[in-house]
Amino acid sequence: MATIYGFSLKGIKTFKGREGEGCQGDIYYDGKKVGWYSDNADGGMADIDFYGEIDERKRMSDLLKAATVKYYAQYPLTGEFSSLEPNEEMFMSELVGFTEHEKELKKYQKDGYIAMAVFRKPGDDLYEYTQLFKRKAAIEEFQKRTDIEQARIYTKDAFVIADEQPLITQGEGEETTPNMRM
């Protein structure tokens, strides 16, 4: 399951909002359901609501803030968004995208693909491109490209971002790589 510093989302539902596509789902921390997330795509802030008593809600809020700081220290905002101050709402939106990328790769793995790259082209901060790979050599060639930015290469085990990154296998009988992002 796609997880960033212990946080994951399950049961994501998407819908059309006034200003784009909205979504909502259950927030999990270390495998335990701890809250609810909703972005109504109405131009307002997303709702991040933790369950439990006040102390537990504060603890989860603090953990989410810490995860946000760690994540954006490792993967800073770029392009026209680089001047923004990252917040928990942005983190949750990133987690939604991360979860959707995992779902997409799982679908393509059924057709024999071992990896998927998601990237942007210079000057195009709003649209993501996807490229699929069936061979490790193709991934290595992709990594040499200079006409792209913000590239992320996902393999089947690449959907956990934690303090200690696991090695990621490239496919059966292939070597491993220590990082999912370029």
Side-chain angles (χ1 to χ4, degrees):
M1 174 179 6
T3 304
I4 302 176
Y5 295 117
F7 285 94
S8 55
L9 288 168
K10 290 185 183 178
I12 297 174
K13 305 279 190 255
T14 59
F15 51 87
K16 186 174 181 170
R18 289 183 176 171
E19 293 190 18
E21 186 174 279
C23 70
Q24 43 189 225
D26 295 314
I27 304 170
Y28 283 73
Y29 183 75
D30 286 342
K32 181 182 173 193
K33 187 175 178 179
V34 296
W36 182 71
Y37 170 74
S38 180
D39 179 354
N40 293 323
D42 62 0
M45 293 178 58
D47 296 316
I48 301 171
D49 185 29
F50 291 112
Y51 303 144
E53 299 296 321
I54 292 173
D55 290 344
E56 181 62 15
R57 289 174 183 247
K58 172 137 179 46
R59 185 177 85 79
M60 292 311 306
S61 181
D62 291 345
L63 286 169
L64 182 60
K65 285 178 185 171
T68 300
V69 169
K70 277 197 268 186
Y71 179 79
Y72 287 104
Q74 187 172 358
Y75 306 108
L77 294 169
T78 60
E80 72 180 69
F81 303 111
S82 63
S83 64
L84 297 176
E85 183 69 31
N87 60 32
E88 294 78 29
E89 186 177 346
M90 293 167 114
F91 176 87
M92 293 303 291
S93 179
E94 187 73 12
L95 184 55
V96 169
F98 196 50
T99 303
E100 293 299 315
H101 288 153
E102 179 185 42
K103 182 178 173 182
E104 190 175 354
L105 178 60
K106 284 182 178 183
K107 179 178 73 173
Y108 291 127
Q109 283 178 320
K110 293 175 183 175
D111 293 328
Y113 292 98
I114 63 167
M116 175 178 80
V118 178
F119 59 95
R120 297 192 193 294
K121 293 185 178 177
D124 189 0
D125 289 332
L126 300 176
Y127 187 76
E128 285 186 328
Y129 298 86
T130 302
Q131 185 168 338
L132 301 168
F133 306 98
K134 286 191 175 183
R135 297 173 298 111
K136 185 178 178 205
I139 297 169
E140 291 168 356
E141 283 300 312
F142 175 83
Q143 291 175 320
K144 294 176 186 175
R145 289 182 61 177
T146 59
D147 63 326
I148 60 173
E149 54 188 35
Q150 299 177 11
R152 298 177 307 274
I153 298 175
Y154 298 113
T155 60
K156 67 179 179 171
D157 299 322
F159 291 94
V160 175
I161 297 176
D163 290 326
E164 295 295 322
Q165 290 289 357
L167 288 179
I168 301 164
T169 58
Q170 295 294 331
E172 193 171 320
E174 299 283 346
E175 297 176 20
T176 59
T177 180
N179 199 338
M180 68 164 201
R181 296 188 183 229
M182 289 177 58

